[in-house]
Amino acid sequence: MFGKNLTTIGSNMAGLFFVWSTLKRYFPRQIQQLLFNAIQRIPIFKKLSDKIFHLFSPYAHIRFSEIEEYRYNYAYAAVKTYLGAKVNSEVKNLKGNQVKENTSLDLKRDDVKIEEEYEGVKMWWEIFRCVKGKKICRLTFHRSNWDVVTGSYLSYVVEEGKSIKARKKKLSVFMNNPSLRWKTNMKGLWTCIDFEHPATFDTLAMDIDKKDEILSDLVAFRDGKEYYDRIGKAWKRGYLLYGPPGTGKSTMIAAMANLMKYNIYDLELTSIGSNWELKKLLINTTSKSIIVIEDIDCSLDLTGERNVKDVKGDEGKKSNAVTLSGLLNFIDGIWSACGQERILVFTTNHLGKLDQALIRRGRMDMHIELSYCTFGAFKILAKNYLNLDSHYLFGKIESLLKETKITPADVAENLMVKDRTEVDGSLKGLIRALERIKWSQKVKAEEQHNKEISQI
């Protein structure tokens, strides 16, 4: 077989040399070049020339694709970061980026071909997109330098790229695109923007003891790789946030992300067509991330019906095909262990509507109730909005908060002032709002009592 292939290659090469010598003999140099370029574009000749070049070329190539085997390639990200950071006075092509106003300009290298030298070894990087749209970084080097390149050099590049990315890391929030926009190369599942929410646990208005408990749990999770490996569990944790609207569930998620330095994936279940698509989205999230499903009771029928059948609506369209069973597998099935260091957060205004299998311990490891504003939460809001640690009206406010149900969001709205001269007016306005709520709640309670008496 080898002899037959060698004979074929030799015959083809002889034919090419004959044609080339004929062209040189009877055609001017410009015509020769045009004919040669035209012949090279013919698929069969191009394939043949590529094979010959590969057979005799002293160079080797290593390719880093952005998506490899349907999963994000972290080595590609590290290489791309490393190459972009190689900025000096000799670089001719740069691109500038300014994420926020009044911040320094971030310059990155914008060359598609970059020459590199490491321990006396020269090599070349190319950045391009292949035919299917995949982003690729390709390294070319002489075969004689194989040990240096595959040994210390690539390890250096990846580690340096990760270090640069960690120093410049900006958090992002992702949202899933409708499946109709997905492509076969896995691009287009998620859209992202920079995450710039300023919430922290210091500014979070909630009970101090409960806040400390959540903080300790998050830190223990972040530092718990060895623990999870030892007990044989996937390195992930679930948090269920529940309570009335306006009690700070979304703010809590933002504070979690800023504390942990994790990206947020905001998962909209109603735009997902099947359990299979849900798994596909899961495996395309990165480690060190928070996967959020807000108002989960409004996203699916999760009241306990396991065998959900397809139901046709008035317009003949199927209802959402993601089932409770599929969601349970998403949380702690086999596919849920395809990444590391992930947090899953559900929020709901109506805890009683959720199936107990969905929120049991082990799936939602920590249940966090975010309720109406307490005096402790009010003091944090007063510090945030008015820069006050104490005030003569605090006693009156504390007494009213014990007798009324008002959300932290409503309290914050009353505390928003333009300048310090309005502080007293702001607190008095809050007192008036609390008194109105107290009176309204008293009236409703009396009406309910009279209704119950009339039914006896």
PDB file of all heavy atoms in Angstrom, residues 11 46 52 72 81 103 112 124 127 148 173 186 200 235 254 285 287 300 364 369 390 394 399 408 440-441:
ATOM      1  N   SER A  11       4.291  10.040  -9.488  1.00  0.00           N
ATOM      2  CA  SER A  11       3.729  10.275 -10.820  1.00  0.00           C
ATOM      3  C   SER A  11       3.093  11.654 -10.904  1.00  0.00           C
ATOM      4  O   SER A  11       3.269  12.378 -11.895  1.00  0.00           O
ATOM      5  CB  SER A  11       2.692   9.189 -11.142  1.00  0.00           C
ATOM      6  OG  SER A  11       2.087   9.436 -12.387  1.00  0.00           O
ATOM      7  N   LYS A  46      -4.830  21.629  -4.900  1.00  0.00           N
ATOM      8  CA  LYS A  46      -4.578  22.204  -3.579  1.00  0.00           C
ATOM      9  C   LYS A  46      -4.401  21.105  -2.542  1.00  0.00           C
ATOM     10  O   LYS A  46      -3.509  21.163  -1.690  1.00  0.00           O
ATOM     11  CB  LYS A  46      -5.742  23.114  -3.180  1.00  0.00           C
ATOM     12  CG  LYS A  46      -5.479  23.894  -1.887  1.00  0.00           C
ATOM     13  CD  LYS A  46      -6.631  24.833  -1.575  1.00  0.00           C
ATOM     14  CE  LYS A  46      -6.297  25.707  -0.372  1.00  0.00           C
ATOM     15  NZ  LYS A  46      -5.875  24.945   0.798  1.00  0.00           N
ATOM     16  N   ILE A  52       1.810  17.226   0.125  1.00  0.00           N
ATOM     17  CA  ILE A  52       3.255  17.226  -0.117  1.00  0.00           C
ATOM     18  C   ILE A  52       3.964  18.122   0.889  1.00  0.00           C
ATOM     19  O   ILE A  52       4.998  17.759   1.463  1.00  0.00           O
ATOM     20  CB  ILE A  52       3.552  17.687  -1.570  1.00  0.00           C
ATOM     21  CG1 ILE A  52       3.013  16.654  -2.569  1.00  0.00           C
ATOM     22  CG2 ILE A  52       5.050  17.883  -1.780  1.00  0.00           C
ATOM     23  CD1 ILE A  52       3.053  17.118  -4.004  1.00  0.00           C
ATOM     24  N   TYR A  72     -16.648  24.310  26.692  1.00  0.00           N
ATOM     25  CA  TYR A  72     -15.763  25.466  26.601  1.00  0.00           C
ATOM     26  C   TYR A  72     -14.344  25.059  26.961  1.00  0.00           C
ATOM     27  O   TYR A  72     -14.106  24.333  27.925  1.00  0.00           O
ATOM     28  CB  TYR A  72     -16.249  26.571  27.546  1.00  0.00           C
ATOM     29  CG  TYR A  72     -15.490  27.863  27.399  1.00  0.00           C
ATOM     30  CD1 TYR A  72     -15.734  28.703  26.315  1.00  0.00           C
ATOM     31  CD2 TYR A  72     -14.528  28.240  28.325  1.00  0.00           C
ATOM     32  CE1 TYR A  72     -15.047  29.890  26.168  1.00  0.00           C
ATOM     33  CE2 TYR A  72     -13.831  29.425  28.196  1.00  0.00           C
ATOM     34  CZ  TYR A  72     -14.099  30.245  27.105  1.00  0.00           C
ATOM     35  OH  TYR A  72     -13.394  31.421  26.965  1.00  0.00           O
ATOM     36  N   THR A  81      -5.908  35.283  26.243  1.00  0.00           N
ATOM     37  CA  THR A  81      -5.590  36.345  27.195  1.00  0.00           C
ATOM     38  C   THR A  81      -4.102  36.651  27.191  1.00  0.00           C
ATOM     39  O   THR A  81      -3.684  37.817  27.199  1.00  0.00           O
ATOM     40  CB  THR A  81      -6.040  35.937  28.608  1.00  0.00           C
ATOM     41  OG1 THR A  81      -7.448  35.676  28.613  1.00  0.00           O
ATOM     42  CG2 THR A  81      -5.733  37.039  29.614  1.00  0.00           C
ATOM     43  N   THR A 103     -12.301  55.493  33.880  1.00  0.00           N
ATOM     44  CA  THR A 103     -11.395  54.394  34.221  1.00  0.00           C
ATOM     45  C   THR A 103     -10.277  54.360  33.176  1.00  0.00           C
ATOM     46  O   THR A 103     -10.403  54.907  32.079  1.00  0.00           O
ATOM     47  CB  THR A 103     -12.119  53.035  34.247  1.00  0.00           C
ATOM     48  OG1 THR A 103     -12.720  52.793  32.969  1.00  0.00           O
ATOM     49  CG2 THR A 103     -13.189  53.025  35.320  1.00  0.00           C
ATOM     50  N   VAL A 112      -3.412  39.136  14.094  1.00  0.00           N
ATOM     51  CA  VAL A 112      -3.859  37.767  13.818  1.00  0.00           C
ATOM     52  C   VAL A 112      -2.676  36.814  13.754  1.00  0.00           C
ATOM     53  O   VAL A 112      -2.838  35.598  13.837  1.00  0.00           O
ATOM     54  CB  VAL A 112      -4.663  37.697  12.506  1.00  0.00           C
ATOM     55  CG1 VAL A 112      -5.970  38.465  12.651  1.00  0.00           C
ATOM     56  CG2 VAL A 112      -3.854  38.235  11.335  1.00  0.00           C
ATOM     57  N   TRP A 124       5.283  30.729  16.168  1.00  0.00           N
ATOM     58  CA  TRP A 124       4.302  31.671  15.641  1.00  0.00           C
ATOM     59  C   TRP A 124       2.897  31.259  16.057  1.00  0.00           C
ATOM     60  O   TRP A 124       2.526  30.085  15.980  1.00  0.00           O
ATOM     61  CB  TRP A 124       4.378  31.734  14.102  1.00  0.00           C
ATOM     62  CG  TRP A 124       5.714  32.139  13.605  1.00  0.00           C
ATOM     63  CD1 TRP A 124       6.133  33.387  13.278  1.00  0.00           C
ATOM     64  CD2 TRP A 124       6.840  31.271  13.400  1.00  0.00           C
ATOM     65  NE1 TRP A 124       7.446  33.369  12.878  1.00  0.00           N
ATOM     66  CE2 TRP A 124       7.915  32.075  12.947  1.00  0.00           C
ATOM     67  CE3 TRP A 124       7.062  29.910  13.555  1.00  0.00           C
ATOM     68  CZ2 TRP A 124       9.154  31.563  12.639  1.00  0.00           C
ATOM     69  CZ3 TRP A 124       8.306  29.380  13.263  1.00  0.00           C
ATOM     70  CH2 TRP A 124       9.341  30.207  12.807  1.00  0.00           C
ATOM     71  N   ILE A 127      -4.405  33.589  15.041  1.00  0.00           N
ATOM     72  CA  ILE A 127      -5.756  33.647  15.609  1.00  0.00           C
ATOM     73  C   ILE A 127      -6.739  33.806  14.455  1.00  0.00           C
ATOM     74  O   ILE A 127      -6.648  34.765  13.685  1.00  0.00           O
ATOM     75  CB  ILE A 127      -5.887  34.826  16.592  1.00  0.00           C
ATOM     76  CG1 ILE A 127      -4.830  34.708  17.696  1.00  0.00           C
ATOM     77  CG2 ILE A 127      -7.281  34.877  17.185  1.00  0.00           C
ATOM     78  CD1 ILE A 127      -4.755  35.924  18.596  1.00  0.00           C
ATOM     79  N   VAL A 148      10.631  21.446  24.295  1.00  0.00           N
ATOM     80  CA  VAL A 148      10.536  22.758  24.937  1.00  0.00           C
ATOM     81  C   VAL A 148       9.113  23.300  24.862  1.00  0.00           C
ATOM     82  O   VAL A 148       8.554  23.793  25.851  1.00  0.00           O
ATOM     83  CB  VAL A 148      11.515  23.758  24.295  1.00  0.00           C
ATOM     84  CG1 VAL A 148      11.323  25.153  24.882  1.00  0.00           C
ATOM     85  CG2 VAL A 148      12.945  23.298  24.488  1.00  0.00           C
ATOM     86  N   VAL A 173     -22.889  38.842  33.452  1.00  0.00           N
ATOM     87  CA  VAL A 173     -24.183  38.203  33.645  1.00  0.00           C
ATOM     88  C   VAL A 173     -24.644  37.699  32.285  1.00  0.00           C
ATOM     89  O   VAL A 173     -24.619  38.427  31.289  1.00  0.00           O
ATOM     90  CB  VAL A 173     -25.211  39.169  34.284  1.00  0.00           C
ATOM     91  CG1 VAL A 173     -25.413  40.423  33.457  1.00  0.00           C
ATOM     92  CG2 VAL A 173     -26.536  38.454  34.501  1.00  0.00           C
ATOM     93  N   MET A 186     -22.482  25.303  18.802  1.00  0.00           N
ATOM     94  CA  MET A 186     -22.672  25.655  20.200  1.00  0.00           C
ATOM     95  C   MET A 186     -22.573  27.151  20.476  1.00  0.00           C
ATOM     96  O   MET A 186     -22.654  27.571  21.613  1.00  0.00           O
ATOM     97  CB  MET A 186     -21.668  24.910  21.109  1.00  0.00           C
ATOM     98  CG  MET A 186     -21.638  23.413  20.922  1.00  0.00           C
ATOM     99  SD  MET A 186     -23.223  22.654  21.272  1.00  0.00           S
ATOM    100  CE  MET A 186     -23.299  22.862  23.034  1.00  0.00           C
ATOM    101  N   THR A 200     -23.265  44.564  48.073  1.00  0.00           N
ATOM    102  CA  THR A 200     -22.348  43.757  48.876  1.00  0.00           C
ATOM    103  C   THR A 200     -23.102  43.308  50.122  1.00  0.00           C
ATOM    104  O   THR A 200     -24.188  43.822  50.445  1.00  0.00           O
ATOM    105  CB  THR A 200     -21.097  44.548  49.296  1.00  0.00           C
ATOM    106  OG1 THR A 200     -21.488  45.598  50.187  1.00  0.00           O
ATOM    107  CG2 THR A 200     -20.391  45.141  48.082  1.00  0.00           C
ATOM    108  N   TRP A 235     -18.958  19.411  43.511  1.00  0.00           N
ATOM    109  CA  TRP A 235     -18.673  20.693  44.171  1.00  0.00           C
ATOM    110  C   TRP A 235     -19.695  21.729  43.709  1.00  0.00           C
ATOM    111  O   TRP A 235     -19.439  22.564  42.851  1.00  0.00           O
ATOM    112  CB  TRP A 235     -17.248  21.126  43.843  1.00  0.00           C
ATOM    113  CG  TRP A 235     -16.735  22.258  44.676  1.00  0.00           C
ATOM    114  CD1 TRP A 235     -17.313  22.825  45.773  1.00  0.00           C
ATOM    115  CD2 TRP A 235     -15.518  22.985  44.450  1.00  0.00           C
ATOM    116  NE1 TRP A 235     -16.537  23.838  46.255  1.00  0.00           N
ATOM    117  CE2 TRP A 235     -15.433  23.957  45.468  1.00  0.00           C
ATOM    118  CE3 TRP A 235     -14.497  22.887  43.502  1.00  0.00           C
ATOM    119  CZ2 TRP A 235     -14.358  24.841  45.548  1.00  0.00           C
ATOM    120  CZ3 TRP A 235     -13.442  23.768  43.596  1.00  0.00           C
ATOM    121  CH2 TRP A 235     -13.376  24.720  44.602  1.00  0.00           C
ATOM    122  N   ALA A 254     -26.853  39.358  43.725  1.00  0.00           N
ATOM    123  CA  ALA A 254     -25.772  40.257  43.309  1.00  0.00           C
ATOM    124  C   ALA A 254     -24.670  40.308  44.360  1.00  0.00           C
ATOM    125  O   ALA A 254     -23.477  40.312  44.027  1.00  0.00           O
ATOM    126  CB  ALA A 254     -26.334  41.662  43.062  1.00  0.00           C
ATOM    127  N   THR A 285     -22.137  26.269  30.736  1.00  0.00           N
ATOM    128  CA  THR A 285     -21.821  27.250  31.767  1.00  0.00           C
ATOM    129  C   THR A 285     -20.421  26.949  32.291  1.00  0.00           C
ATOM    130  O   THR A 285     -19.959  25.817  32.217  1.00  0.00           O
ATOM    131  CB  THR A 285     -22.830  27.178  32.929  1.00  0.00           C
ATOM    132  OG1 THR A 285     -22.787  25.863  33.516  1.00  0.00           O
ATOM    133  CG2 THR A 285     -24.241  27.472  32.446  1.00  0.00           C
ATOM    134  N   SER A 287     -17.270  26.963  35.252  1.00  0.00           N
ATOM    135  CA  SER A 287     -17.094  26.819  36.689  1.00  0.00           C
ATOM    136  C   SER A 287     -17.011  28.209  37.319  1.00  0.00           C
ATOM    137  O   SER A 287     -16.897  29.214  36.623  1.00  0.00           O
ATOM    138  CB  SER A 287     -15.818  26.024  36.977  1.00  0.00           C
ATOM    139  OG  SER A 287     -15.910  24.716  36.433  1.00  0.00           O
ATOM    140  N   LEU A 300     -42.623  27.241  35.547  1.00  0.00           N
ATOM    141  CA  LEU A 300     -43.130  25.925  35.178  1.00  0.00           C
ATOM    142  C   LEU A 300     -44.228  25.519  36.130  1.00  0.00           C
ATOM    143  O   LEU A 300     -44.394  26.104  37.204  1.00  0.00           O
ATOM    144  CB  LEU A 300     -42.005  24.868  35.246  1.00  0.00           C
ATOM    145  CG  LEU A 300     -40.854  24.969  34.258  1.00  0.00           C
ATOM    146  CD1 LEU A 300     -39.810  23.923  34.611  1.00  0.00           C
ATOM    147  CD2 LEU A 300     -41.345  24.750  32.840  1.00  0.00           C
ATOM    148  N   MET A 364     -31.685  21.976  47.283  1.00  0.00           N
ATOM    149  CA  MET A 364     -31.563  23.342  47.791  1.00  0.00           C
ATOM    150  C   MET A 364     -31.016  23.214  49.210  1.00  0.00           C
ATOM    151  O   MET A 364     -31.772  23.012  50.173  1.00  0.00           O
ATOM    152  CB  MET A 364     -32.914  24.047  47.768  1.00  0.00           C
ATOM    153  CG  MET A 364     -33.452  24.335  46.370  1.00  0.00           C
ATOM    154  SD  MET A 364     -32.455  25.562  45.486  1.00  0.00           S
ATOM    155  CE  MET A 364     -31.545  24.522  44.350  1.00  0.00           C
ATOM    156  N   GLU A 369     -35.054  32.732  54.105  1.00  0.00           N
ATOM    157  CA  GLU A 369     -36.263  33.548  54.068  1.00  0.00           C
ATOM    158  C   GLU A 369     -35.880  35.026  54.127  1.00  0.00           C
ATOM    159  O   GLU A 369     -35.188  35.463  55.041  1.00  0.00           O
ATOM    160  CB  GLU A 369     -37.192  33.212  55.228  1.00  0.00           C
ATOM    161  CG  GLU A 369     -38.480  34.022  55.192  1.00  0.00           C
ATOM    162  CD  GLU A 369     -39.418  33.729  56.346  1.00  0.00           C
ATOM    163  OE1 GLU A 369     -38.991  33.027  57.294  1.00  0.00           O
ATOM    164  OE2 GLU A 369     -40.572  34.202  56.309  1.00  0.00           O
ATOM    165  N   SER A 390     -27.332  56.785  64.184  1.00  0.00           N
ATOM    166  CA  SER A 390     -28.371  56.962  65.199  1.00  0.00           C
ATOM    167  C   SER A 390     -29.113  58.277  64.936  1.00  0.00           C
ATOM    168  O   SER A 390     -28.613  59.176  64.249  1.00  0.00           O
ATOM    169  CB  SER A 390     -27.756  56.971  66.605  1.00  0.00           C
ATOM    170  OG  SER A 390     -26.863  58.073  66.744  1.00  0.00           O
ATOM    171  N   PHE A 394     -35.215  57.237  65.648  1.00  0.00           N
ATOM    172  CA  PHE A 394     -35.037  55.787  65.478  1.00  0.00           C
ATOM    173  C   PHE A 394     -35.937  54.986  66.424  1.00  0.00           C
ATOM    174  O   PHE A 394     -36.425  53.915  66.069  1.00  0.00           O
ATOM    175  CB  PHE A 394     -33.573  55.415  65.710  1.00  0.00           C
ATOM    176  CG  PHE A 394     -32.697  55.586  64.498  1.00  0.00           C
ATOM    177  CD1 PHE A 394     -33.120  56.347  63.415  1.00  0.00           C
ATOM    178  CD2 PHE A 394     -31.445  54.988  64.428  1.00  0.00           C
ATOM    179  CE1 PHE A 394     -32.318  56.530  62.307  1.00  0.00           C
ATOM    180  CE2 PHE A 394     -30.631  55.150  63.313  1.00  0.00           C
ATOM    181  CZ  PHE A 394     -31.062  55.918  62.254  1.00  0.00           C
ATOM    182  N   SER A 399     -40.385  51.041  67.009  1.00  0.00           N
ATOM    183  CA  SER A 399     -41.680  50.630  67.548  1.00  0.00           C
ATOM    184  C   SER A 399     -42.684  50.333  66.433  1.00  0.00           C
ATOM    185  O   SER A 399     -43.417  49.348  66.483  1.00  0.00           O
ATOM    186  CB  SER A 399     -42.220  51.739  68.464  1.00  0.00           C
ATOM    187  OG  SER A 399     -43.503  51.416  68.931  1.00  0.00           O
ATOM    188  N   PRO A 408     -38.104  45.977  52.746  1.00  0.00           N
ATOM    189  CA  PRO A 408     -36.920  46.842  52.688  1.00  0.00           C
ATOM    190  C   PRO A 408     -36.923  47.774  51.486  1.00  0.00           C
ATOM    191  O   PRO A 408     -36.420  48.901  51.571  1.00  0.00           O
ATOM    192  CB  PRO A 408     -35.765  45.836  52.606  1.00  0.00           C
ATOM    193  CG  PRO A 408     -36.282  44.610  53.287  1.00  0.00           C
ATOM    194  CD  PRO A 408     -37.740  44.559  52.920  1.00  0.00           C
ATOM    195  N   SER A 440     -53.872  50.635  57.853  1.00  0.00           N
ATOM    196  CA  SER A 440     -54.462  49.791  56.808  1.00  0.00           C
ATOM    197  C   SER A 440     -54.503  48.325  57.235  1.00  0.00           C
ATOM    198  O   SER A 440     -55.504  47.638  57.014  1.00  0.00           O
ATOM    199  CB  SER A 440     -53.653  49.944  55.516  1.00  0.00           C
ATOM    200  OG  SER A 440     -54.133  49.087  54.511  1.00  0.00           O
ATOM    201  N   GLN A 441     -53.444  47.857  57.851  1.00  0.00           N
ATOM    202  CA  GLN A 441     -53.412  46.469  58.299  1.00  0.00           C
ATOM    203  C   GLN A 441     -54.429  46.223  59.419  1.00  0.00           C
ATOM    204  O   GLN A 441     -55.027  45.151  59.504  1.00  0.00           O
ATOM    205  CB  GLN A 441     -52.000  46.109  58.763  1.00  0.00           C
ATOM    206  CG  GLN A 441     -50.985  46.031  57.614  1.00  0.00           C
ATOM    207  CD  GLN A 441     -49.560  45.832  58.091  1.00  0.00           C
ATOM    208  OE1 GLN A 441     -49.265  45.881  59.289  1.00  0.00           O
ATOM    209  NE2 GLN A 441     -48.646  45.627  57.151  1.00  0.00           N
TER     210      GLN A 441
END
